[in-house]
């Protein structure tokens, strides 16, 4: 009787392992597909990024505009932080 209970528990454990193996296989296949899509997207995007890098900041005005944009990002971030602190208190 105890042996039958052990056999039943072993069969249940084997069933769970089989279903887990299937789940793992599906998740790995999805991960591989997503990774392949990301690699393809990066390959398609690389010429555009290279072209942008070639033109970025070549002139004095372009460098100043980029610096101004960075400065505005910092000012906006500090402003949001101050507003969040005021709202929280």
């Amino acid at each position: 009787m105890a042996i039958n209970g052990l056999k039943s528990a072993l069969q249940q454990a084997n069933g769970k392992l089989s279903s887990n193996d299937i789940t793992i296989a599906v998740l790995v296949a999805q991960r591989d597909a997503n990774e392949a899509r990301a690699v393809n997207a990066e390959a398609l995007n690389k010429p555009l990024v290279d072209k942008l890098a070639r033109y970025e900041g070549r002139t004095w005005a372009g460098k100043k505009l980029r610096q101004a944009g960075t400065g505005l990002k910092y000012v906006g971030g500090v402003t949001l932080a101050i507003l969040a602190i005021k709202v929280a208190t």
Side-chain angles (χ1 to χ4, degrees):
M1 199 165 188
I3 293 177
N4 289 334
L6 289 174
K7 284 181 183 180
S8 173
L10 182 61
Q11 287 175 349
Q12 287 177 349
N14 283 337
K16 287 182 182 179
L17 287 174
S18 295
S19 67
N20 287 345
D21 288 344
I22 292 169
T23 302
I24 290 170
V26 167
L27 292 174
V28 167
Q30 288 175 352
R31 183 206 60 201
D32 291 345
N34 288 337
E35 184 178 354
R37 285 179 47 220
V39 168
N40 289 337
E42 287 177 0
L44 290 173
N45 197 28
K46 184 164 179 16
L48 298 174
V49 171
D50 291 344
K51 188 174 184 178
L52 179 64
R54 190 171 63 231
Y55 290 120
E56 188 175 273
R58 292 189 112 188
T59 64
W60 176 84
K63 289 178 186 177
K64 294 301 175 189
L65 283 172
R66 192 170 68 242
Q67 290 171 356
T70 303
L72 288 174
K73 288 178 189 175
Y74 287 129
V75 170
V78 169
T79 303
L80 288 176
I82 291 170
L83 288 174
I85 291 170
K86 285 188 177 186
V87 169
T89 57

